Amino acid sequence: MINQIAAGEVIERPASVVKELVENALDAGAHKVEIVTAGGGLNLIRVTDNGSGIPEKELALAVARHCTSKLSDDIHDIRSLGFRGEALPSIGSVARLSIRSRTASGDSAAEIGIDGGRVSAVKPAAANRGTTVEVRDLFFATPARLKFMKGERAESSATGDVVKRIAIAFPAVRFTLAGSDRSTLELPATDDTAEGRLARVAQVMGKDFPDNAIAIDAMRDGVHLAGHVSIPSYTRANALQQYAYVNGRPVRDKLIAGAIRGAFADVLPRDRHAVTVLFLSLDPSTVDVNVHPAKADVRFRDPGLVRGLIVGAIREALAGAGIRAATTGAAGMMAAFRPGAASYAHPGPANGHRSYGASYHAPGSNGFDPLRSAQRPLDVGEPRPPRNGFAENEQAAFDTGPLASADARAGMAEPAETLLGMVLGAARAQVHENYIVAQTRDSLVIVDQHAAHERLVYEALKNALHARAVPSQMLLLPEIVDLPEEDADRLAMHSEMLAKFGLGLERFGPGAVAVRETPSMLGETNVQQLVRDLADEIADNDTVETLKERLDKIAATMACHGSVRSGRLLKAEEMNALLRQMEATPGSGTCNHGRPTYIELKLADIERLFGRR
Ligand code: ADP
Ligand code: MG
């Protein structure tokens, strides 16, 4: 019964059995691990390895509770995946378990079984070197647990995830997983070099991850961080594709997840998640893995150090690598322009995964790098009524500028040669009240003015914040914002920090704040909404975020409120000024939500569309 109680924590579902058995195989130094399951693992799980094997006289010990060969006398220095001596007896108490094993020196194999907790005698058997553990009828002895199993498909997929997760940390080991539904996972061995590890990651996560990833390699105070993170245009709707390892052990750790979120906060919307594979290596005595029987939780002795290392390394890598074009988008948009787009098999990588956002190419180390194409829907299929078209009289707004703006007309001066040479070129028109169309020598550039401006405001706010206080303007009358008391408390508590941003507010009775000043950069702004959003932001992040991140986040929230909304007509000088400002601002190739702020169509591509090439 004690073993069954332990099993309740250690063996949650078939995938947990697979995890424990694979960990044992890896601890035994195997370089081949073969997994077979039937009935989602509830009927059968068999794990065969070519590791060290278990000596015949230790077989009975291996299935005895708390017996482990992996601890000497120091629980603080754990270098193996297992150390609790709990898995085998736990599995044996809720299923029918048999272990057949042979060591390198043993001249024959031996076998032991446990059936719902009853241990059988050790018998001779025939086997090659290594160990085969077979688990049948999982949870037959604990029918209540059996009732909770999800269906064969769901259990199989959980098992697949477990194997993939662990395989990423052991690239030199060959893994195979075969289920009853013909789906087989085969991960040939690579090696334990940086390339080998990336190759294993590609086996698990798909070939397009390495193409869209940036390498991370950083060291701080004896903690080493290595791995890869996706570029901001390659994201997922959940955080399941974030793999983290501490000294080779797969972990699910809030601190690491939070650090990844923090590192990407600048470039990703809140509902998108980066794809990451991160390996932390540190002195085993500075991390506690004995937190939960499933061994997926860890506690760091210096959490701040680990968090700072992760956030710093990822941010640095993102900035250093620039923001590259996602390979998945390149040909997509051009294809979308073509008649019969759906049937057009475009060249370039096979598009296995969904592409969201766009592919883009933005500032690299050498400054502003134009993006080549994007998959952003451009509404080309169904022309809208020409409400905002070139011919509209709203366009008169452009005519005030010295530069030719909406010069679809003949006889307008050509834009200055110098402007054409700029990365984002010379602004030529504004269409649909939000898109600036510009021209370079060999391309057409379309800028999303709202997204671009939002980013510029954000960068300016951040800079101002780190330099000095943000200039503010007094409101004629203070604006009273009614709020739940806790929100008012939170805002009041952070009023000093908010004042640094140019937002002057103070407590106004129990459930309200009075706003006296707003950042001048925001211009006229919806104070009520801004204050409520800030209250939410502080409530969400106060306890976990460091001060600087919090400030940047608030800057992002403010920027969103203060940017030129789409719909504002810009004069030619204003448009050109925006383009020049973008060129001068690192990071302005994407808006705060990771979407591109501009796209560029090469003339050559356009000509190809018209069959001129
Ligand atoms: P732990 O892994 O925490 O030590 P387990 O119950 O998983 O506890 O395993 C008990 C012991 O059985 C291990 O310490 C190890 O000595 C032995 N063992 C289990 N599986 C294998 C294997 N595949 N190869 C070699 N030894 C094994
Ligand atoms: Mg174990």
PDB file of all heavy atoms in Angstrom, residues 209-242:
ATOM      1  N   PHE A 209      12.589  24.752 -37.381  1.00  0.00           N
ATOM      2  CA  PHE A 209      13.002  25.466 -36.169  1.00  0.00           C
ATOM      3  C   PHE A 209      14.435  26.000 -36.264  1.00  0.00           C
ATOM      4  O   PHE A 209      14.658  27.192 -36.058  1.00  0.00           O
ATOM      5  CB  PHE A 209      12.802  24.630 -34.903  1.00  0.00           C
ATOM      6  CG  PHE A 209      13.313  25.317 -33.666  1.00  0.00           C
ATOM      7  CD1 PHE A 209      12.681  26.450 -33.182  1.00  0.00           C
ATOM      8  CD2 PHE A 209      14.459  24.869 -33.023  1.00  0.00           C
ATOM      9  CE1 PHE A 209      13.166  27.117 -32.061  1.00  0.00           C
ATOM     10  CE2 PHE A 209      14.954  25.530 -31.905  1.00  0.00           C
ATOM     11  CZ  PHE A 209      14.304  26.657 -31.425  1.00  0.00           C
ATOM     12  N   PRO A 210      15.413  25.152 -36.596  1.00  0.00           N
ATOM     13  CA  PRO A 210      16.778  25.697 -36.697  1.00  0.00           C
ATOM     14  C   PRO A 210      16.880  26.861 -37.673  1.00  0.00           C
ATOM     15  O   PRO A 210      17.632  27.811 -37.438  1.00  0.00           O
ATOM     16  CB  PRO A 210      17.600  24.504 -37.185  1.00  0.00           C
ATOM     17  CG  PRO A 210      16.827  23.310 -36.778  1.00  0.00           C
ATOM     18  CD  PRO A 210      15.382  23.700 -36.799  1.00  0.00           C
ATOM     19  N   ASP A 211      16.096  26.801 -38.755  1.00  0.00           N
ATOM     20  CA  ASP A 211      16.130  27.891 -39.727  1.00  0.00           C
ATOM     21  C   ASP A 211      15.605  29.194 -39.142  1.00  0.00           C
ATOM     22  O   ASP A 211      15.855  30.263 -39.671  1.00  0.00           O
ATOM     23  CB  ASP A 211      15.259  27.549 -40.940  1.00  0.00           C
ATOM     24  CG  ASP A 211      15.871  26.431 -41.757  1.00  0.00           C
ATOM     25  OD1 ASP A 211      17.079  26.186 -41.583  1.00  0.00           O
ATOM     26  OD2 ASP A 211      15.150  25.806 -42.552  1.00  0.00           O
ATOM     27  N   ASN A 212      14.816  29.083 -38.103  1.00  0.00           N
ATOM     28  CA  ASN A 212      14.171  30.275 -37.551  1.00  0.00           C
ATOM     29  C   ASN A 212      14.594  30.531 -36.114  1.00  0.00           C
ATOM     30  O   ASN A 212      13.850  31.102 -35.330  1.00  0.00           O
ATOM     31  CB  ASN A 212      12.653  30.121 -37.636  1.00  0.00           C
ATOM     32  CG  ASN A 212      12.177  30.137 -39.078  1.00  0.00           C
ATOM     33  OD1 ASN A 212      12.226  31.160 -39.740  1.00  0.00           O
ATOM     34  ND2 ASN A 212      11.780  28.989 -39.574  1.00  0.00           N
ATOM     35  N   ALA A 213      15.772  30.041 -35.780  1.00  0.00           N
ATOM     36  CA  ALA A 213      16.215  30.145 -34.392  1.00  0.00           C
ATOM     37  C   ALA A 213      17.536  30.892 -34.279  1.00  0.00           C
ATOM     38  O   ALA A 213      18.305  30.979 -35.234  1.00  0.00           O
ATOM     39  CB  ALA A 213      16.360  28.747 -33.802  1.00  0.00           C
ATOM     40  N   ILE A 214      17.756  31.412 -33.106  1.00  0.00           N
ATOM     41  CA  ILE A 214      19.001  32.117 -32.807  1.00  0.00           C
ATOM     42  C   ILE A 214      19.706  31.346 -31.702  1.00  0.00           C
ATOM     43  O   ILE A 214      19.065  30.926 -30.735  1.00  0.00           O
ATOM     44  CB  ILE A 214      18.711  33.543 -32.297  1.00  0.00           C
ATOM     45  CG1 ILE A 214      17.775  34.283 -33.262  1.00  0.00           C
ATOM     46  CG2 ILE A 214      19.993  34.320 -32.095  1.00  0.00           C
ATOM     47  CD1 ILE A 214      17.233  35.564 -32.651  1.00  0.00           C
ATOM     48  N   ALA A 215      21.004  31.172 -31.846  1.00  0.00           N
ATOM     49  CA  ALA A 215      21.751  30.433 -30.829  1.00  0.00           C
ATOM     50  C   ALA A 215      21.965  31.294 -29.590  1.00  0.00           C
ATOM     51  O   ALA A 215      22.160  32.504 -29.680  1.00  0.00           O
ATOM     52  CB  ALA A 215      23.090  29.992 -31.401  1.00  0.00           C
ATOM     53  N   ILE A 216      21.908  30.641 -28.444  1.00  0.00           N
ATOM     54  CA  ILE A 216      22.157  31.312 -27.175  1.00  0.00           C
ATOM     55  C   ILE A 216      23.365  30.641 -26.534  1.00  0.00           C
ATOM     56  O   ILE A 216      23.457  29.413 -26.520  1.00  0.00           O
ATOM     57  CB  ILE A 216      20.965  31.104 -26.203  1.00  0.00           C
ATOM     58  CG1 ILE A 216      19.660  31.552 -26.820  1.00  0.00           C
ATOM     59  CG2 ILE A 216      21.225  31.771 -24.857  1.00  0.00           C
ATOM     60  CD1 ILE A 216      19.469  33.026 -26.878  1.00  0.00           C
ATOM     61  N   ASP A 217      24.271  31.436 -26.020  1.00  0.00           N
ATOM     62  CA  ASP A 217      25.411  30.865 -25.312  1.00  0.00           C
ATOM     63  C   ASP A 217      25.933  31.930 -24.358  1.00  0.00           C
ATOM     64  O   ASP A 217      26.480  32.931 -24.793  1.00  0.00           O
ATOM     65  CB  ASP A 217      26.493  30.451 -26.315  1.00  0.00           C
ATOM     66  CG  ASP A 217      27.549  29.576 -25.657  1.00  0.00           C
ATOM     67  OD1 ASP A 217      27.579  29.519 -24.403  1.00  0.00           O
ATOM     68  OD2 ASP A 217      28.335  28.955 -26.389  1.00  0.00           O
ATOM     69  N   ALA A 218      25.694  31.743 -23.089  1.00  0.00           N
ATOM     70  CA  ALA A 218      26.088  32.777 -22.142  1.00  0.00           C
ATOM     71  C   ALA A 218      26.484  32.151 -20.817  1.00  0.00           C
ATOM     72  O   ALA A 218      26.055  31.052 -20.482  1.00  0.00           O
ATOM     73  CB  ALA A 218      24.936  33.766 -21.926  1.00  0.00           C
ATOM     74  N   MET A 219      27.296  32.876 -20.097  1.00  0.00           N
ATOM     75  CA  MET A 219      27.818  32.347 -18.839  1.00  0.00           C
ATOM     76  C   MET A 219      27.801  33.479 -17.826  1.00  0.00           C
ATOM     77  O   MET A 219      28.135  34.615 -18.148  1.00  0.00           O
ATOM     78  CB  MET A 219      29.268  31.921 -19.109  1.00  0.00           C
ATOM     79  CG  MET A 219      29.979  31.363 -17.932  1.00  0.00           C
ATOM     80  SD  MET A 219      29.827  29.570 -18.016  1.00  0.00           S
ATOM     81  CE  MET A 219      30.585  29.167 -16.457  1.00  0.00           C
ATOM     82  N   ARG A 220      27.357  33.187 -16.625  1.00  0.00           N
ATOM     83  CA  ARG A 220      27.402  34.207 -15.579  1.00  0.00           C
ATOM     84  C   ARG A 220      27.587  33.503 -14.237  1.00  0.00           C
ATOM     85  O   ARG A 220      26.824  32.604 -13.901  1.00  0.00           O
ATOM     86  CB  ARG A 220      26.096  35.009 -15.583  1.00  0.00           C
ATOM     87  CG  ARG A 220      26.170  36.278 -14.745  1.00  0.00           C
ATOM     88  CD  ARG A 220      24.831  36.994 -14.700  1.00  0.00           C
ATOM     89  NE  ARG A 220      24.486  37.640 -15.969  1.00  0.00           N
ATOM     90  CZ  ARG A 220      23.359  38.358 -16.138  1.00  0.00           C
ATOM     91  NH1 ARG A 220      22.510  38.504 -15.154  1.00  0.00           N
ATOM     92  NH2 ARG A 220      23.107  38.908 -17.299  1.00  0.00           N
ATOM     93  N   ASP A 221      28.582  33.920 -13.521  1.00  0.00           N
ATOM     94  CA  ASP A 221      28.842  33.384 -12.173  1.00  0.00           C
ATOM     95  C   ASP A 221      28.726  31.865 -12.091  1.00  0.00           C
ATOM     96  O   ASP A 221      28.051  31.322 -11.216  1.00  0.00           O
ATOM     97  CB  ASP A 221      27.867  34.012 -11.160  1.00  0.00           C
ATOM     98  CG  ASP A 221      28.100  35.507 -11.029  1.00  0.00           C
ATOM     99  OD1 ASP A 221      29.175  35.968 -11.440  1.00  0.00           O
ATOM    100  OD2 ASP A 221      27.201  36.199 -10.526  1.00  0.00           O
ATOM    101  N   GLY A 222      29.354  31.193 -13.039  1.00  0.00           N
ATOM    102  CA  GLY A 222      29.383  29.736 -12.961  1.00  0.00           C
ATOM    103  C   GLY A 222      28.140  29.056 -13.506  1.00  0.00           C
ATOM    104  O   GLY A 222      28.046  27.831 -13.491  1.00  0.00           O
ATOM    105  N   VAL A 223      27.171  29.823 -13.981  1.00  0.00           N
ATOM    106  CA  VAL A 223      25.988  29.212 -14.588  1.00  0.00           C
ATOM    107  C   VAL A 223      26.105  29.385 -16.098  1.00  0.00           C
ATOM    108  O   VAL A 223      26.333  30.486 -16.591  1.00  0.00           O
ATOM    109  CB  VAL A 223      24.684  29.875 -14.087  1.00  0.00           C
ATOM    110  CG1 VAL A 223      23.479  29.151 -14.659  1.00  0.00           C
ATOM    111  CG2 VAL A 223      24.658  29.883 -12.577  1.00  0.00           C
ATOM    112  N   HIS A 224      25.953  28.278 -16.815  1.00  0.00           N
ATOM    113  CA  HIS A 224      26.079  28.331 -18.270  1.00  0.00           C
ATOM    114  C   HIS A 224      24.712  28.122 -18.897  1.00  0.00           C
ATOM    115  O   HIS A 224      23.957  27.247 -18.477  1.00  0.00           O
ATOM    116  CB  HIS A 224      27.062  27.246 -18.740  1.00  0.00           C
ATOM    117  CG  HIS A 224      27.284  27.271 -20.218  1.00  0.00           C
ATOM    118  ND1 HIS A 224      27.234  26.140 -21.005  1.00  0.00           N
ATOM    119  CD2 HIS A 224      27.544  28.303 -21.061  1.00  0.00           C
ATOM    120  CE1 HIS A 224      27.457  26.484 -22.274  1.00  0.00           C
ATOM    121  NE2 HIS A 224      27.653  27.789 -22.332  1.00  0.00           N
ATOM    122  N   LEU A 225      24.404  28.950 -19.880  1.00  0.00           N
ATOM    123  CA  LEU A 225      23.138  28.818 -20.604  1.00  0.00           C
ATOM    124  C   LEU A 225      23.450  28.621 -22.075  1.00  0.00           C
ATOM    125  O   LEU A 225      24.196  29.397 -22.671  1.00  0.00           O
ATOM    126  CB  LEU A 225      22.286  30.077 -20.420  1.00  0.00           C
ATOM    127  CG  LEU A 225      20.951  30.081 -21.175  1.00  0.00           C
ATOM    128  CD1 LEU A 225      19.967  29.110 -20.547  1.00  0.00           C
ATOM    129  CD2 LEU A 225      20.355  31.478 -21.226  1.00  0.00           C
ATOM    130  N   ALA A 226      22.897  27.570 -22.666  1.00  0.00           N
ATOM    131  CA  ALA A 226      23.088  27.333 -24.094  1.00  0.00           C
ATOM    132  C   ALA A 226      21.749  26.935 -24.689  1.00  0.00           C
ATOM    133  O   ALA A 226      20.808  26.632 -23.963  1.00  0.00           O
ATOM    134  CB  ALA A 226      24.121  26.235 -24.313  1.00  0.00           C
ATOM    135  N   GLY A 227      21.685  26.939 -26.001  1.00  0.00           N
ATOM    136  CA  GLY A 227      20.458  26.511 -26.655  1.00  0.00           C
ATOM    137  C   GLY A 227      20.041  27.429 -27.778  1.00  0.00           C
ATOM    138  O   GLY A 227      20.874  28.134 -28.352  1.00  0.00           O
ATOM    139  N   HIS A 228      18.748  27.404 -28.081  1.00  0.00           N
ATOM    140  CA  HIS A 228      18.216  28.195 -29.187  1.00  0.00           C
ATOM    141  C   HIS A 228      16.864  28.777 -28.823  1.00  0.00           C
ATOM    142  O   HIS A 228      16.087  28.146 -28.114  1.00  0.00           O
ATOM    143  CB  HIS A 228      18.059  27.335 -30.444  1.00  0.00           C
ATOM    144  CG  HIS A 228      19.366  27.029 -31.106  1.00  0.00           C
ATOM    145  ND1 HIS A 228      20.182  25.989 -30.697  1.00  0.00           N
ATOM    146  CD2 HIS A 228      20.007  27.651 -32.130  1.00  0.00           C
ATOM    147  CE1 HIS A 228      21.277  25.993 -31.448  1.00  0.00           C
ATOM    148  NE2 HIS A 228      21.199  26.974 -32.324  1.00  0.00           N
ATOM    149  N   VAL A 229      16.595  29.967 -29.346  1.00  0.00           N
ATOM    150  CA  VAL A 229      15.249  30.540 -29.220  1.00  0.00           C
ATOM    151  C   VAL A 229      14.787  30.963 -30.599  1.00  0.00           C
ATOM    152  O   VAL A 229      15.598  31.279 -31.470  1.00  0.00           O
ATOM    153  CB  VAL A 229      15.216  31.765 -28.271  1.00  0.00           C
ATOM    154  CG1 VAL A 229      15.700  31.378 -26.891  1.00  0.00           C
ATOM    155  CG2 VAL A 229      16.050  32.921 -28.831  1.00  0.00           C
ATOM    156  N   SER A 230      13.480  30.964 -30.801  1.00  0.00           N
ATOM    157  CA  SER A 230      12.958  31.327 -32.114  1.00  0.00           C
ATOM    158  C   SER A 230      13.044  32.828 -32.325  1.00  0.00           C
ATOM    159  O   SER A 230      13.042  33.607 -31.370  1.00  0.00           O
ATOM    160  CB  SER A 230      11.505  30.867 -32.239  1.00  0.00           C
ATOM    161  OG  SER A 230      10.707  31.457 -31.242  1.00  0.00           O
ATOM    162  N   ILE A 231      13.093  33.232 -33.579  1.00  0.00           N
ATOM    163  CA  ILE A 231      13.002  34.649 -33.893  1.00  0.00           C
ATOM    164  C   ILE A 231      11.555  35.078 -33.631  1.00  0.00           C
ATOM    165  O   ILE A 231      10.656  34.243 -33.620  1.00  0.00           O
ATOM    166  CB  ILE A 231      13.416  34.937 -35.356  1.00  0.00           C
ATOM    167  CG1 ILE A 231      12.584  34.096 -36.327  1.00  0.00           C
ATOM    168  CG2 ILE A 231      14.892  34.658 -35.542  1.00  0.00           C
ATOM    169  CD1 ILE A 231      12.881  34.386 -37.782  1.00  0.00           C
ATOM    170  N   PRO A 232      11.339  36.379 -33.394  1.00  0.00           N
ATOM    171  CA  PRO A 232      10.002  36.804 -32.944  1.00  0.00           C
ATOM    172  C   PRO A 232       8.867  36.534 -33.929  1.00  0.00           C
ATOM    173  O   PRO A 232       7.710  36.562 -33.537  1.00  0.00           O
ATOM    174  CB  PRO A 232      10.167  38.308 -32.721  1.00  0.00           C
ATOM    175  CG  PRO A 232      11.611  38.483 -32.455  1.00  0.00           C
ATOM    176  CD  PRO A 232      12.316  37.475 -33.308  1.00  0.00           C
ATOM    177  N   SER A 233       9.178  36.275 -35.183  1.00  0.00           N
ATOM    178  CA  SER A 233       8.071  36.021 -36.103  1.00  0.00           C
ATOM    179  C   SER A 233       7.686  34.540 -36.119  1.00  0.00           C
ATOM    180  O   SER A 233       6.756  34.142 -36.792  1.00  0.00           O
ATOM    181  CB  SER A 233       8.450  36.458 -37.515  1.00  0.00           C
ATOM    182  OG  SER A 233       9.609  35.779 -37.925  1.00  0.00           O
ATOM    183  N   TYR A 234       8.406  33.736 -35.367  1.00  0.00           N
ATOM    184  CA  TYR A 234       8.143  32.301 -35.348  1.00  0.00           C
ATOM    185  C   TYR A 234       7.639  31.970 -33.941  1.00  0.00           C
ATOM    186  O   TYR A 234       8.423  31.780 -33.019  1.00  0.00           O
ATOM    187  CB  TYR A 234       9.445  31.565 -35.657  1.00  0.00           C
ATOM    188  CG  TYR A 234       9.346  30.073 -35.820  1.00  0.00           C
ATOM    189  CD1 TYR A 234       9.120  29.506 -37.065  1.00  0.00           C
ATOM    190  CD2 TYR A 234       9.502  29.230 -34.732  1.00  0.00           C
ATOM    191  CE1 TYR A 234       9.052  28.141 -37.223  1.00  0.00           C
ATOM    192  CE2 TYR A 234       9.433  27.857 -34.884  1.00  0.00           C
ATOM    193  CZ  TYR A 234       9.207  27.318 -36.130  1.00  0.00           C
ATOM    194  OH  TYR A 234       9.141  25.961 -36.270  1.00  0.00           O
ATOM    195  N   THR A 235       6.331  31.989 -33.778  1.00  0.00           N
ATOM    196  CA  THR A 235       5.786  31.838 -32.430  1.00  0.00           C
ATOM    197  C   THR A 235       4.669  30.816 -32.411  1.00  0.00           C
ATOM    198  O   THR A 235       4.220  30.355 -33.449  1.00  0.00           O
ATOM    199  CB  THR A 235       5.207  33.175 -31.926  1.00  0.00           C
ATOM    200  OG1 THR A 235       4.157  33.574 -32.811  1.00  0.00           O
ATOM    201  CG2 THR A 235       6.276  34.244 -31.863  1.00  0.00           C
ATOM    202  N   ARG A 236       4.248  30.474 -31.218  1.00  0.00           N
ATOM    203  CA  ARG A 236       3.146  29.528 -31.052  1.00  0.00           C
ATOM    204  C   ARG A 236       2.091  30.127 -30.137  1.00  0.00           C
ATOM    205  O   ARG A 236       2.358  31.065 -29.395  1.00  0.00           O
ATOM    206  CB  ARG A 236       3.666  28.235 -30.413  1.00  0.00           C
ATOM    207  CG  ARG A 236       4.815  27.602 -31.162  1.00  0.00           C
ATOM    208  CD  ARG A 236       4.395  27.115 -32.522  1.00  0.00           C
ATOM    209  NE  ARG A 236       3.504  25.998 -32.422  1.00  0.00           N
ATOM    210  CZ  ARG A 236       3.787  24.784 -32.873  1.00  0.00           C
ATOM    211  NH1 ARG A 236       4.935  24.545 -33.463  1.00  0.00           N
ATOM    212  NH2 ARG A 236       2.925  23.812 -32.749  1.00  0.00           N
ATOM    213  N   ALA A 237       0.920  29.507 -30.174  1.00  0.00           N
ATOM    214  CA  ALA A 237      -0.179  30.023 -29.355  1.00  0.00           C
ATOM    215  C   ALA A 237      -0.063  29.576 -27.903  1.00  0.00           C
ATOM    216  O   ALA A 237      -0.755  30.076 -27.036  1.00  0.00           O
ATOM    217  CB  ALA A 237      -1.514  29.576 -29.936  1.00  0.00           C
ATOM    218  N   ASN A 238       0.800  28.588 -27.623  1.00  0.00           N
ATOM    219  CA  ASN A 238       0.998  28.206 -26.224  1.00  0.00           C
ATOM    220  C   ASN A 238       2.482  27.964 -25.982  1.00  0.00           C
ATOM    221  O   ASN A 238       3.295  28.006 -26.905  1.00  0.00           O
ATOM    222  CB  ASN A 238       0.187  26.959 -25.870  1.00  0.00           C
ATOM    223  CG  ASN A 238       0.521  25.800 -26.781  1.00  0.00           C
ATOM    224  OD1 ASN A 238       1.677  25.534 -27.056  1.00  0.00           O
ATOM    225  ND2 ASN A 238      -0.489  25.114 -27.253  1.00  0.00           N
ATOM    226  N   ALA A 239       2.808  27.713 -24.724  1.00  0.00           N
ATOM    227  CA  ALA A 239       4.220  27.605 -24.359  1.00  0.00           C
ATOM    228  C   ALA A 239       4.711  26.162 -24.362  1.00  0.00           C
ATOM    229  O   ALA A 239       5.770  25.858 -23.816  1.00  0.00           O
ATOM    230  CB  ALA A 239       4.446  28.251 -22.996  1.00  0.00           C
ATOM    231  N   LEU A 240       3.952  25.259 -24.994  1.00  0.00           N
ATOM    232  CA  LEU A 240       4.345  23.845 -24.953  1.00  0.00           C
ATOM    233  C   LEU A 240       5.655  23.577 -25.673  1.00  0.00           C
ATOM    234  O   LEU A 240       6.332  22.591 -25.403  1.00  0.00           O
ATOM    235  CB  LEU A 240       3.244  22.980 -25.581  1.00  0.00           C
ATOM    236  CG  LEU A 240       1.953  22.894 -24.763  1.00  0.00           C
ATOM    237  CD1 LEU A 240       0.903  22.078 -25.498  1.00  0.00           C
ATOM    238  CD2 LEU A 240       2.246  22.284 -23.397  1.00  0.00           C
ATOM    239  N   GLN A 241       6.014  24.434 -26.612  1.00  0.00           N
ATOM    240  CA  GLN A 241       7.262  24.223 -27.338  1.00  0.00           C
ATOM    241  C   GLN A 241       8.413  24.953 -26.676  1.00  0.00           C
ATOM    242  O   GLN A 241       9.296  25.466 -27.343  1.00  0.00           O
ATOM    243  CB  GLN A 241       7.121  24.700 -28.786  1.00  0.00           C
ATOM    244  CG  GLN A 241       6.089  23.956 -29.567  1.00  0.00           C
ATOM    245  CD  GLN A 241       6.649  22.716 -30.209  1.00  0.00           C
ATOM    246  OE1 GLN A 241       7.857  22.528 -30.244  1.00  0.00           O
ATOM    247  NE2 GLN A 241       5.800  21.856 -30.705  1.00  0.00           N
ATOM    248  N   GLN A 242       8.368  25.052 -25.372  1.00  0.00           N
ATOM    249  CA  GLN A 242       9.497  25.636 -24.658  1.00  0.00           C
ATOM    250  C   GLN A 242      10.125  24.533 -23.826  1.00  0.00           C
ATOM    251  O   GLN A 242       9.537  24.061 -22.867  1.00  0.00           O
ATOM    252  CB  GLN A 242       9.025  26.799 -23.778  1.00  0.00           C
ATOM    253  CG  GLN A 242       8.501  27.939 -24.634  1.00  0.00           C
ATOM    254  CD  GLN A 242       8.124  29.175 -23.836  1.00  0.00           C
ATOM    255  OE1 GLN A 242       8.026  29.134 -22.611  1.00  0.00           O
ATOM    256  NE2 GLN A 242       7.905  30.270 -24.533  1.00  0.00           N
TER     257      GLN A 242
END
